[in-house]
PDB file of all heavy atoms in Angstrom:
ATOM      1  N   GLU A 793       2.046 -23.645  -1.557  1.00  0.00           N
ATOM      2  CA  GLU A 793       3.317 -23.069  -1.288  1.00  0.00           C
ATOM      3  C   GLU A 793       3.371 -21.526  -1.499  1.00  0.00           C
ATOM      4  O   GLU A 793       4.291 -20.823  -1.125  1.00  0.00           O
ATOM      5  CB  GLU A 793       4.466 -23.632  -2.259  1.00  0.00           C
ATOM      6  CG  GLU A 793       4.237 -23.445  -3.784  1.00  0.00           C
ATOM      7  CD  GLU A 793       3.421 -24.519  -4.416  1.00  0.00           C
ATOM      8  OE1 GLU A 793       2.659 -25.261  -3.694  1.00  0.00           O
ATOM      9  OE2 GLU A 793       3.490 -24.626  -5.623  1.00  0.00           O
ATOM     10  N   GLN A 794       2.278 -20.952  -2.029  1.00  0.00           N
ATOM     11  CA  GLN A 794       2.151 -19.520  -2.137  1.00  0.00           C
ATOM     12  C   GLN A 794       1.396 -18.875  -1.019  1.00  0.00           C
ATOM     13  O   GLN A 794       1.274 -17.652  -0.891  1.00  0.00           O
ATOM     14  CB  GLN A 794       1.478 -19.109  -3.453  1.00  0.00           C
ATOM     15  CG  GLN A 794       2.231 -19.546  -4.706  1.00  0.00           C
ATOM     16  CD  GLN A 794       1.421 -19.232  -5.956  1.00  0.00           C
ATOM     17  OE1 GLN A 794       0.229 -19.416  -5.931  1.00  0.00           O
ATOM     18  NE2 GLN A 794       2.143 -18.879  -6.984  1.00  0.00           N
ATOM     19  N   LYS A 795       0.909 -19.663  -0.017  1.00  0.00           N
ATOM     20  CA  LYS A 795       0.165 -19.148   1.091  1.00  0.00           C
ATOM     21  C   LYS A 795       1.005 -18.132   1.858  1.00  0.00           C
ATOM     22  O   LYS A 795       0.466 -17.129   2.391  1.00  0.00           O
ATOM     23  CB  LYS A 795      -0.251 -20.290   2.036  1.00  0.00           C
ATOM     24  CG  LYS A 795      -1.007 -19.827   3.194  1.00  0.00           C
ATOM     25  CD  LYS A 795      -1.533 -20.994   4.042  1.00  0.00           C
ATOM     26  CE  LYS A 795      -2.334 -20.408   5.173  1.00  0.00           C
ATOM     27  NZ  LYS A 795      -2.853 -21.523   6.054  1.00  0.00           N
ATOM     28  N   SER A 796       2.352 -18.328   1.927  1.00  0.00           N
ATOM     29  CA  SER A 796       3.156 -17.356   2.696  1.00  0.00           C
ATOM     30  C   SER A 796       3.239 -15.931   2.028  1.00  0.00           C
ATOM     31  O   SER A 796       3.643 -15.030   2.660  1.00  0.00           O
ATOM     32  CB  SER A 796       4.603 -17.940   2.776  1.00  0.00           C
ATOM     33  OG  SER A 796       5.189 -17.997   1.511  1.00  0.00           O
ATOM     34  N   LEU A 797       2.747 -15.783   0.860  1.00  0.00           N
ATOM     35  CA  LEU A 797       2.653 -14.522   0.222  1.00  0.00           C
ATOM     36  C   LEU A 797       1.525 -13.709   0.755  1.00  0.00           C
ATOM     37  O   LEU A 797       1.555 -12.439   0.647  1.00  0.00           O
ATOM     38  CB  LEU A 797       2.496 -14.651  -1.328  1.00  0.00           C
ATOM     39  CG  LEU A 797       3.607 -15.347  -2.022  1.00  0.00           C
ATOM     40  CD1 LEU A 797       3.205 -15.472  -3.534  1.00  0.00           C
ATOM     41  CD2 LEU A 797       4.953 -14.645  -1.846  1.00  0.00           C
ATOM     42  N   ILE A 798       0.561 -14.333   1.453  1.00  0.00           N
ATOM     43  CA  ILE A 798      -0.537 -13.557   2.080  1.00  0.00           C
ATOM     44  C   ILE A 798      -0.118 -13.089   3.377  1.00  0.00           C
ATOM     45  O   ILE A 798      -0.118 -13.816   4.400  1.00  0.00           O
ATOM     46  CB  ILE A 798      -1.865 -14.460   2.129  1.00  0.00           C
ATOM     47  CG1 ILE A 798      -2.215 -14.976   0.685  1.00  0.00           C
ATOM     48  CG2 ILE A 798      -3.001 -13.682   2.729  1.00  0.00           C
ATOM     49  CD1 ILE A 798      -3.178 -16.127   0.695  1.00  0.00           C
ATOM     50  N   ARG A 799       0.357 -11.826   3.505  1.00  0.00           N
ATOM     51  CA  ARG A 799       0.856 -11.349   4.703  1.00  0.00           C
ATOM     52  C   ARG A 799      -0.075 -10.287   5.295  1.00  0.00           C
ATOM     53  O   ARG A 799      -0.515  -9.363   4.546  1.00  0.00           O
ATOM     54  CB  ARG A 799       2.279 -10.680   4.485  1.00  0.00           C
ATOM     55  CG  ARG A 799       3.199 -11.747   3.988  1.00  0.00           C
ATOM     56  CD  ARG A 799       4.532 -11.198   3.730  1.00  0.00           C
ATOM     57  NE  ARG A 799       5.366 -12.224   3.096  1.00  0.00           N
ATOM     58  CZ  ARG A 799       6.699 -12.059   3.071  1.00  0.00           C
ATOM     59  NH1 ARG A 799       7.297 -11.028   3.446  1.00  0.00           N
ATOM     60  NH2 ARG A 799       7.326 -13.111   2.537  1.00  0.00           N
ATOM     61  N   VAL A 800      -0.325 -10.405   6.598  1.00  0.00           N
ATOM     62  CA  VAL A 800      -1.345  -9.475   7.217  1.00  0.00           C
ATOM     63  C   VAL A 800      -0.772  -8.944   8.497  1.00  0.00           C
ATOM     64  O   VAL A 800      -0.065  -9.596   9.196  1.00  0.00           O
ATOM     65  CB  VAL A 800      -2.629 -10.295   7.585  1.00  0.00           C
ATOM     66  CG1 VAL A 800      -3.644  -9.438   8.201  1.00  0.00           C
ATOM     67  CG2 VAL A 800      -3.133 -11.006   6.333  1.00  0.00           C
ATOM     68  N   ALA A 801      -0.953  -7.646   8.641  1.00  0.00           N
ATOM     69  CA  ALA A 801      -0.540  -6.944   9.915  1.00  0.00           C
ATOM     70  C   ALA A 801      -1.696  -6.215  10.473  1.00  0.00           C
ATOM     71  O   ALA A 801      -2.576  -5.762   9.664  1.00  0.00           O
ATOM     72  CB  ALA A 801       0.620  -6.047   9.604  1.00  0.00           C
ATOM     73  N   THR A 802      -1.778  -6.181  11.816  1.00  0.00           N
ATOM     74  CA  THR A 802      -2.893  -5.336  12.474  1.00  0.00           C
ATOM     75  C   THR A 802      -2.295  -4.222  13.300  1.00  0.00           C
ATOM     76  O   THR A 802      -3.007  -3.412  13.801  1.00  0.00           O
ATOM     77  CB  THR A 802      -3.737  -6.217  13.343  1.00  0.00           C
ATOM     78  OG1 THR A 802      -2.904  -6.891  14.296  1.00  0.00           O
ATOM     79  CG2 THR A 802      -4.529  -7.283  12.427  1.00  0.00           C
ATOM     80  N   THR A 803      -0.935  -4.161  13.388  1.00  0.00           N
ATOM     81  CA  THR A 803      -0.306  -3.113  14.075  1.00  0.00           C
ATOM     82  C   THR A 803       0.974  -2.655  13.281  1.00  0.00           C
ATOM     83  O   THR A 803       1.532  -3.408  12.470  1.00  0.00           O
ATOM     84  CB  THR A 803       0.218  -3.570  15.492  1.00  0.00           C
ATOM     85  OG1 THR A 803       1.293  -4.517  15.300  1.00  0.00           O
ATOM     86  CG2 THR A 803      -0.928  -4.121  16.276  1.00  0.00           C
ATOM     87  N   PRO A 804       1.440  -1.448  13.582  1.00  0.00           N
ATOM     88  CA  PRO A 804       2.677  -0.987  12.900  1.00  0.00           C
ATOM     89  C   PRO A 804       3.881  -1.907  13.273  1.00  0.00           C
ATOM     90  O   PRO A 804       4.734  -2.128  12.459  1.00  0.00           O
ATOM     91  CB  PRO A 804       2.882   0.422  13.370  1.00  0.00           C
ATOM     92  CG  PRO A 804       1.564   0.864  13.821  1.00  0.00           C
ATOM     93  CD  PRO A 804       0.776  -0.303  14.258  1.00  0.00           C
ATOM     94  N   GLU A 805       3.832  -2.407  14.411  1.00  0.00           N
ATOM     95  CA  GLU A 805       4.939  -3.301  14.878  1.00  0.00           C
ATOM     96  C   GLU A 805       5.031  -4.575  14.053  1.00  0.00           C
ATOM     97  O   GLU A 805       6.026  -5.017  13.679  1.00  0.00           O
ATOM     98  CB  GLU A 805       4.876  -3.573  16.358  1.00  0.00           C
ATOM     99  CG  GLU A 805       5.035  -2.384  17.285  1.00  0.00           C
ATOM    100  CD  GLU A 805       3.861  -1.420  17.280  1.00  0.00           C
ATOM    101  OE1 GLU A 805       2.740  -1.827  17.031  1.00  0.00           O
ATOM    102  OE2 GLU A 805       4.059  -0.188  17.534  1.00  0.00           O
ATOM    103  N   GLU A 806       3.754  -5.124  13.715  1.00  0.00           N
ATOM    104  CA  GLU A 806       3.735  -6.304  12.924  1.00  0.00           C
ATOM    105  C   GLU A 806       4.279  -5.954  11.465  1.00  0.00           C
ATOM    106  O   GLU A 806       4.857  -6.774  10.770  1.00  0.00           O
ATOM    107  CB  GLU A 806       2.355  -6.805  12.842  1.00  0.00           C
ATOM    108  CG  GLU A 806       1.884  -7.502  14.095  1.00  0.00           C
ATOM    109  CD  GLU A 806       0.382  -7.928  14.082  1.00  0.00           C
ATOM    110  OE1 GLU A 806      -0.319  -7.667  13.133  1.00  0.00           O
ATOM    111  OE2 GLU A 806      -0.006  -8.468  15.150  1.00  0.00           O
ATOM    112  N   VAL A 807       3.860  -4.797  11.003  1.00  0.00           N
ATOM    113  CA  VAL A 807       4.400  -4.283   9.665  1.00  0.00           C
ATOM    114  C   VAL A 807       5.854  -4.271   9.727  1.00  0.00           C
ATOM    115  O   VAL A 807       6.571  -4.782   8.746  1.00  0.00           O
ATOM    116  CB  VAL A 807       3.887  -2.950   9.302  1.00  0.00           C
ATOM    117  CG1 VAL A 807       4.620  -2.324   8.150  1.00  0.00           C
ATOM    118  CG2 VAL A 807       2.380  -2.913   9.032  1.00  0.00           C
ATOM    119  N   LEU A 808       6.473  -3.691  10.757  1.00  0.00           N
ATOM    120  CA  LEU A 808       7.963  -3.612  10.802  1.00  0.00           C
ATOM    121  C   LEU A 808       8.602  -5.037  10.839  1.00  0.00           C
ATOM    122  O   LEU A 808       9.637  -5.235  10.260  1.00  0.00           O
ATOM    123  CB  LEU A 808       8.418  -2.831  12.049  1.00  0.00           C
ATOM    124  CG  LEU A 808       8.026  -1.332  12.090  1.00  0.00           C
ATOM    125  CD1 LEU A 808       8.394  -0.685  13.340  1.00  0.00           C
ATOM    126  CD2 LEU A 808       8.755  -0.689  10.890  1.00  0.00           C
TER     127      LEU A 808
END
Side-chain angles (χ1 to χ4, degrees):
E793 62 270 18
Q794 295 175 327
K795 183 178 181 180
S796 64
L797 297 175
I798 304 166
R799 298 177 184 196
V800 182
T802 58
T803 67
E805 294 73 26
E806 289 174 358
V807 167
L808 293 174

